[in-house]
Amino acid sequence: SNLSPEKTFKLDITSPSSIEAVFKKFESLNVSLDTIIIASGHLKKNELSVDLNKDEINRDKLKIQSAEAKTSFEINALGPYLVARAFAKLLRFDRRIKKFVPQICVLTSSIGTMHNEIYGGMYSYRASKAALHAVLMALYCDLRQKNKVGILMAGPGSVKTKMNPYGNLSTNQSANYIIDNIEHASSSAKFQFLGLKGKRITW
């Protein structure tokens, strides 16, 4: 009730100081959050497929690959972790509201699971998403010691975006599926990985 229906703050998910600045603004407004949704993704087109037999190995190319991996981890894993860790302090843990459990929802990908043996490539992307799953599970274990909280790892499906021009879902379709999953998860204090139409994904 302390914020207008639509209020925006600029945040650079790769910058700890930017995350802190926005957190301080929320804290100063005495805001309590029911749901936190973190949506970030980074994938370079040249990572979609890799021919290791033709891959040229030299210092400059290895530097590029190293820089790309660091960028992926910053955007896909480290940034979401820092946002979740910081803003979790603002979740509304009201024990009188028994039907609702505060949720942290993080957009991820089934590519980052250990159960995807269909195709390779996307090394930095899948590794960073796998790291995201692991660190959010650890955060969940710590948060649930004192309060009921749910963490939803949301698989948005193959969405047609700048990052994935070959997607078969519109952004609106994907968003509606994610909203349905959040509403479904809001009664549970669990760590869940749900895909389209509530399909459980083994991570």
Side-chain angles (χ1 to χ4, degrees):
S1 61
N2 293 332
L3 290 176
S4 61
E6 293 184 8
K7 183 74 173 178
T8 61
F9 301 87
K10 187 175 181 179
L11 185 149
D12 179 356
I13 202 164
T14 67
S15 168
S17 60
S18 176
I19 294 170
E20 180 197 29
V22 176
F23 170 78
K24 293 294 185 183
K25 288 179 182 178
F26 273 65
E27 194 176 40
S28 68
L29 291 169
N30 195 28
V31 170
S32 294
L33 305 177
D34 298 312
T35 306
I36 299 169
I37 302 173
I38 305 170
S40 68
H42 175 77
L43 170 64
K44 280 288 230 181
K45 289 182 181 178
N46 61 6
E47 270 209 320
L48 291 175
S49 61
V50 177
D51 188 338
L52 296 177
N53 293 321
K54 296 180 179 179
D55 199 20
E56 183 183 355
I57 303 300
N58 59 59
R59 181 175 57 188
D60 290 339
K61 191 162 186 179
L62 291 174
K63 283 183 178 179
I64 292 172
Q65 291 173 348
S66 176
E68 178 55 37
K70 290 174 182 177
T71 299
S72 293
F73 271 84
E74 274 194 327
I75 297 173
N76 296 333
L78 180 58
Y81 157 66
L82 293 177
V83 171
R85 178 166 177 169
F87 283 82
K89 293 176 70 69
L90 302 180
L91 286 172
R92 181 172 60 178
F93 297 110
D94 192 338
R95 300 183 187 280
R96 295 169 297 178
I97 305 176
K98 296 182 180 180
K99 292 183 179 180
F100 178 83
V101 177
Q103 300 288 316
I104 300 174
C105 172
V106 185
L107 266 64
T108 183
S109 172
S110 59
I111 296 295
T113 70
M114 297 296 107
H115 292 265
N116 191 321
E117 301 175 5
I118 301 173
Y119 48 83
M122 296 184 277
Y123 300 133
S124 298
Y125 182 76
R126 67 171 70 223
S128 58
K129 289 295 186 180
L132 176 66
H133 302 161
V135 75
L136 265 292
M137 168 58 85
L139 181 62
Y140 167 72
C141 290
D142 287 334
L143 290 174
R144 71 176 180 180
Q145 289 186 19
K146 293 185 177 180
N147 295 289
K148 285 188 175 181
V149 62
I151 290 187
L152 170 62
M153 308 305 294
S158 180
V159 189
K160 190 171 184 179
T161 61
K162 289 180 181 179
M163 190 178 79
N164 179 22
Y166 309 106
N168 53 29
L169 280 177
S170 72
T171 52
N172 282 342
Q173 287 174 312
S174 177
N176 285 328
Y177 283 127
I178 292 169
I179 290 168
D180 288 343
N181 284 345
I182 292 173
E183 291 178 344
H184 170 76
S186 65
S187 61
S188 302
K190 295 180 180 179
F191 181 94
Q192 302 181 78
F193 192 166
L194 300 180
L196 301 183
K197 299 181 180 179
K199 179 183 178 181
R200 295 188 179 278
I201 297 175
T202 303
W203 65 279

